[in-house]
Amino acid sequence: MVELILMISMGLLFIFLGWRIWEKQQITLIHSYHYTKVAEKDKKAYTEKMGKACIIIGIGMILTGIIDFISKTAYGWICFGIFFIWGLIMMFMVQKKYNGGIF
């Protein structure tokens, strides 16, 4: 039960932050060195894609908690790994495209 509550709470936090980054274009939620080289004209696309990647990770966390609670197996963690890697790959690709690199 603790895992379910923790994973849902963390997932909701990631979804909320992703929504703020994407919809509200609140780029300051991302560490400043990650967006220092992003051109002003690209900030909307950058925040949209970074926010979506964060939301994907949050969805993976929620699904992990639910699957592990229902099935009592490690299948939820497989789901988490897939969504986490998917979100990270998206973030790395966005960083490389709009910031010229990871840092």
Side-chain angles (χ1 to χ4, degrees):
M1 186 66 155
V2 173
E3 179 186 12
L4 175 65
I5 293 169
L6 182 65
M7 293 305 284
I8 288 177
S9 299
M10 292 299 296
L12 290 173
L13 176 65
F14 267 73
I15 290 171
F16 176 73
L17 292 173
W19 174 78
R20 296 287 302 197
I21 293 168
W22 173 19
E23 288 294 324
K24 301 292 184 179
Q25 296 179 10
Q26 197 168 0
I27 199 167
T28 56
L29 291 174
I30 304 167
H31 200 282
S32 61
Y33 64 78
H34 285 300
Y35 63 85
T36 53
K37 298 175 189 166
V38 177
E40 193 64 39
K41 65 180 177 71
D42 293 331
K43 284 191 178 178
K44 182 176 179 164
Y46 177 79
T47 55
E48 176 184 344
K49 292 174 184 175
M50 288 296 276
K52 286 179 180 179
C54 194
I55 289 171
I56 287 170
I57 293 172
I59 290 170
M61 289 179 180
I62 291 172
L63 289 175
T64 300
I66 293 169
I67 292 169
D68 283 353
F69 182 73
I70 293 171
S71 69
K72 307 286 188 237
T73 64
Y75 291 125
W77 289 101
I78 294 169
C79 176
F80 174 78
I82 291 168
F83 277 79
F84 187 76
I85 290 170
W86 179 16
L88 278 182
I89 288 171
M90 285 178 66
M91 287 181 179
F92 287 138
M93 289 172 53
V94 170
Q95 279 298 110
K96 186 173 182 185
K97 180 176 181 180
Y98 293 107
N99 199 45
I102 295 173
F103 301 106

